[in-house]
Amino acid sequence: MRAPQKLVKSVWEKYPPTTKDKDAATFDKELVLQKLGSIFCPGPFFFMVLDFSRHETSYVSPQIVEILGQDSLDWKLKDWIESIHPEDRDFMAKCEWLVGEFLFDFLSPELIMTYKSVYCYRMRREDGSYGLFMQQAMPLKIDGRGIVISSIAILIDVSHLNTVNNYRLSLISMENGRDYLGLDPYKGSFEADSYGCTPISSREREVLTFLAEGDSLEEIGEKLFISPTTVRTHRNNIRRKLDCQNIGQAVAKAIREGWI
């Protein structure tokens, strides 16, 4: 077994859930759809359900065929690891280790389901080319001790927005909690005070996320209960603060830095 795959499995082995295999293998489809609805998807994506009791994938969505040219029924943990660019595998493994420390050694159990992890790495397509993918992952089910039984990982092709990875990890609250942005997984352990701040406000991050999804000023205003003029002001402030000529550049920078 290659070192990155072994390291990923060692994270799962460090925090074993107390559950039977069948409990992890089954998942609530409504919950999966709910989780997908809360994910920022600025490109084509597929998703996997990870079973931590078996250290394996329990489901892979059929979109993987169109995106990577792989059979969803045969896609396993080793295929996932081997599809990652050799230079990015160690980074991916270190991110998973840091996410484990954050969820199980730092967070209180009631907050575990409220966070998602975000980072990027390159993945190989069927033709041998590599694209940059943004992974957003979050727990689906936890046991009585707050250990994750299963999680969902969404792999989004962001190659049209970015080609360069900044090798940073972000841990983002989905319920207006504290975000930990731009973490360096090579430091080896999670430190609560070692987190970055964005040059844009939380409201500007919301606006930027909706802009990245293609929403108009009017649509964003309706979602945030503000006027289109206020949305336009936020958009202009975002471009100015991020020193970008257009909103496309701002979106690319925000994705690269793990801010959205």
Side-chain angles (χ1 to χ4, degrees):
M1 184 184 299
R2 297 181 180 180
Q5 185 177 341
K6 186 180 295 185
L7 183 53
V8 170
K9 282 197 172 185
S10 72
V11 178
W12 299 359
E13 290 167 353
K14 184 180 179 182
Y15 307 100
T18 53
T19 183
K20 296 179 181 178
D21 287 355
K22 65 179 182 179
D23 295 328
T26 59
F27 57 91
D28 187 334
K29 292 182 180 178
E30 284 296 320
L31 179 58
V32 168
L33 292 174
Q34 201 176 77
K35 294 286 187 181
L36 287 173
S38 67
I39 287 292
F40 165 55
C41 290
F45 73 93
F46 69 95
F47 69 90
M48 306 180 292
V49 175
L50 304 172
D51 175 350
F52 290 93
S53 68
R54 295 189 301 117
H55 303 165
E56 198 47 89
T57 57
S58 61
Y59 178 82
V60 180
S61 68
Q63 291 90 344
I64 192 175
V65 178
E66 299 173 9
I67 297 171
L68 293 183
Q70 300 292 331
D71 186 343
S72 62
L73 298 178
D74 293 333
W75 183 262
K76 301 299 180 184
L77 176 66
K78 66 177 181 63
D79 302 303
W80 174 26
I81 302 298
E82 289 176 358
S83 73
I84 298 173
H85 194 288
E87 295 176 2
D88 291 355
R89 291 174 192 166
D90 186 56
F91 166 72
M92 177 267 187
K94 283 181 166 54
C95 283
E96 290 301 304
W97 186 268
L98 199 63
V99 171
E101 284 196 346
F102 173 73
L103 291 177
F104 310 127
D105 296 337
F106 175 73
L107 279 187
S108 55
E110 65 271 14
L111 292 178
I112 289 174
M113 298 287 285
T114 69
Y115 273 86
K116 67 177 180 180
S117 61
V118 183
Y119 60 92
C120 295
Y121 49 79
R122 291 167 289 175
M123 296 186 75
R124 186 180 63 249
R125 304 186 182 97
E126 186 179 27
D127 63 5
S129 66
Y130 283 89
L132 187 65
F133 282 74
M134 177 171 64
Q135 176 182 299
Q136 298 192 55
M138 64 193 78
L140 278 178
K141 189 185 300 184
I142 59 176
D143 67 13
R145 298 175 301 128
I147 302 298
V148 175
I149 297 172
S150 61
S151 69
I152 182 171
I154 299 94
L155 284 304
I156 307 153
D157 189 344
V158 293
S159 304
H160 60 295
L161 298 172
N162 260 324
T163 57
V164 179
N165 195 0
N166 73 337
Y167 296 102
R168 289 294 185 268
L169 163 71
S170 291
L171 301 163
I172 299 175
S173 170
M174 295 179 289
E175 294 187 3
N176 298 316
R178 182 177 175 181
D179 296 329
Y180 301 86
L181 307 172
L183 301 175
D184 182 357
Y186 290 100
K187 287 186 175 180
S189 61
F190 176 78
E191 298 176 4
D193 295 329
S194 178
Y195 71 101
C197 296
T198 69
I200 58 178
S201 68
S202 57
R203 175 51 64 111
E204 288 166 345
R205 282 175 59 199
E206 286 183 302
V207 170
L208 185 57
T209 299
F210 287 129
L211 287 170
E213 292 176 343
D215 289 348
S216 67
L217 300 184
E218 291 74 17
E219 289 170 331
I220 296 171
E222 289 179 4
K223 291 178 179 179
L224 297 179
F225 303 102
I226 56 179
S227 71
T229 301
T230 301
V231 177
R232 183 180 293 106
T233 299
H234 284 311
R235 184 187 64 184
N236 294 336
N237 287 339
I238 291 167
R239 285 164 43 197
R240 176 179 54 81
K241 289 181 179 180
L242 298 186
D243 192 25
C244 294
Q245 294 182 349
N246 55 59
I247 207 65
Q249 290 180 355
V251 169
K253 185 171 186 176
I255 290 175
R256 184 171 64 248
E257 297 298 328
W259 296 336
I260 58 177

